[in-house]
Amino acid sequence: MKAAVIYETGGPEVLRHEEVPEPECPDGCVVVDAEAISVEGGDLLARAAGELPAVPHIVGYLSAGTVREVGAGVEGRAVGDRVVALNAAGSHAARRAVPAAMTWPIPAELDAARAACVPVTFGTAYECLFTAGSLAEGQTVLIHAGAGGVGMAAIQLAKRAGATVIATASSDEKLKRLKALGLDHGINYATDSFVERTNQLTDSRGVDIVIDSIGGQNLVDSVAVLGYRGTLVSVGVAARAGSALEARSLWARNNTLRGVYLGGAILPEYARIHPMISDMLQRVASGELHVEIDRSFPLAEAAAAHAYLESRRAFGRVILTP
Ligand SMILES: NC(=O)c1ccc[n+]([C@@H]2O[C@H](COP(=O)([O-])OP(=O)(O)OC[C@H]3O[C@@H](n4cnc5c(N)ncnc54)[C@H](OP(=O)(O)O)[C@@H]3O)[C@@H](O)[C@H]2O)c1
């Protein structure tokens, strides 16, 4: 079968489309024929840096398709089932083996491409807003990188929970389009100070929750827009830089800094998180929540797909099709 593999970490050009061995189906696993692969922000990071467990390595969290093989001991999954599959790696391939527990049935009304985009973006956004942030109706949230996958999911979930939603993005065009998802106030952080604009928008009260998927100085600066007992949620490093955050900066308004990592929560809290993601799939299938897909590339052009997403020109998800 074909896969987009890497032999070293680096820029998008390290991705090569090659023939690789067919996956085996270990106990407790299913083999899924991919119909659509979602290119996630985390896939870019995994391709760009870090230790490779073996080479060639297949990056990627999420794909959706049809079960073709079921391993011993698996209950509740059968050959022919349409599922979305999540794992730490292996999505950029025509098929993959994943633990059956890390799959979700795709609701009948939902296509594979949109299903593939749901678990990590909506699951992570839910964890940021409700588990880490304890969002309540009437509160105000600032969502950085609102036009990214996690950002778009968070805007929708926050709005539907009765929050006032402020988001940042790098262009006025992206901010304009985010209004359709429920954005109340957009801030172009390429041209404006998000600290000044947020304080203007909140009459200097600050916000209850900031979701930061960018990291670096953006995380540090976000403390300045937290209201009394506000929570800053660190969830990503799209900027690929560390943050020197001074702990004392959290004192004056009794603020909280929280970290969210869906991958680290899903096994310890499986009984809560697996059904939460099933619920997100249903809400997308029903049309209550929206998955924005920017464009699709063939799997053979995975390098171009990564380069396109990394260029920050995409509005919504980029899909690979085997
Ligand atoms: N902790 C977790 O469980 C978890 C789960 C999912 C994702 N993440 C992380 O969250 C981050 C976002 O993921 P995603 O899937 O939403 O990514 P995405 O869809 O690729 O969106 C990332 C967005 O970040 C913005 N951005 C701001 N500064 C950037 C920079 N210096 N370089 C590139 N982009 C920049 C871009 O929007 P603008 O151009 O509008 O600024 C871009 O649209 C990633 O770091 C990912 O690893 C973490």
Side-chain angles (χ1 to χ4, degrees):
M1 70 160 185
K2 292 284 193 197
V5 304
I6 60 173
Y7 289 82
E8 58 183 338
T9 55
E13 68 283 354
V14 298
L15 284 159
R16 299 190 209 167
H17 190 239
E18 285 186 356
E19 193 68 26
V20 297
E22 290 287 333
E24 292 178 359
C25 190
D27 293 358
C29 290
V30 291
V31 172
V32 180
D33 276 328
E35 195 182 318
I37 298 152
S38 167
V39 182
E40 300 281 311
D43 297 347
L44 305 182
L45 298 183
R47 187 219 67 232
E51 293 288 311
L52 297 181
V55 290
H57 177 66
I58 305 173
V59 297
Y61 293 150
L62 281 164
S63 52
T66 306
V67 173
R68 72 183 266 142
E69 204 176 335
V70 177
V74 171
E75 290 177 8
R77 298 287 179 272
V79 171
D81 284 354
R82 294 171 71 242
V83 295
V84 52
L86 169 63
N87 215 350
S91 79
H92 287 32
R95 60 193 67 90
R96 68 195 296 205
V98 290
M102 296 296 280
T103 65
W104 290 261
I106 301 176
E109 314 77 31
L110 194 56
D111 58 88
R114 285 186 301 146
C117 302
V118 172
V120 169
T121 53
F122 282 97
T124 302
Y126 180 96
E127 288 298 281
C128 290
L129 290 167
F130 302 107
T131 307
S134 303
L135 178 67
E137 190 175 356
Q139 291 189 328
T140 301
V141 299
L142 170 64
I143 297 162
H144 285 302
V150 173
M152 284 191 192
I155 289 170
Q156 296 178 72
L157 293 177
K159 190 65 186 173
R160 279 150 190 74
T164 298
V165 183
I166 306 171
T168 56
S170 63
S171 80
D172 292 341
E173 176 62 22
K174 286 184 185 180
L175 292 166
K176 198 169 140 198
R177 293 180 69 183
L178 289 174
K179 295 265 177 185
L181 298 181
L183 177 65
D184 293 301
H185 306 287
I187 302 173
N188 182 338
Y189 50 14
T191 56
D192 290 341
S193 156
F194 77 81
V195 174
E196 280 175 25
R197 286 285 298 129
T198 304
N199 284 327
Q200 280 166 6
L201 288 166
T202 60
D203 292 330
S204 298
R205 282 190 309 277
V207 300
D208 298 289
I209 304 169
V210 179
I211 298 181
D212 178 63
S213 58
I214 298 174
Q217 192 58 35
N218 203 75
L219 180 83
V220 177
D221 293 345
S222 294
V223 175
V225 300
L226 288 171
Y228 182 68
R229 292 214 180 278
T231 300
L232 172 56
V233 183
S234 167
V235 67
V237 285
R240 299 180 193 174
S243 308
L245 195 150
E246 171 53 60
R248 279 180 302 182
S249 66
L250 299 167
W251 291 2
R253 290 183 303 281
N254 286 267
N255 294 135
T256 303
L257 173 65
R258 292 280 303 252
V260 163
Y261 177 43
L262 185 71
I266 197 159
L267 291 180
E269 295 190 72
Y270 187 83
R272 180 178 69 82
I273 290 182
H274 193 275
M276 178 270 283
I277 290 175
S278 297
D279 183 52
M280 294 294 150
L281 284 160
Q282 287 295 346
R283 290 172 71 182
V284 172
S286 74
E288 182 205 339
L289 298 172
H290 175 71
V291 169
E292 182 76 24
I293 292 178
D294 181 285
R295 59 183 284 197
S296 296
F297 291 77
L299 179 59
E301 294 173 20
H306 275 229
Y308 179 64
L309 189 59
E310 220 156 73
S311 73
R312 300 166 71 168
R313 281 176 292 149
F315 183 82
R317 274 285 172 259
V318 171
I319 297 293
L320 296 171
T321 49

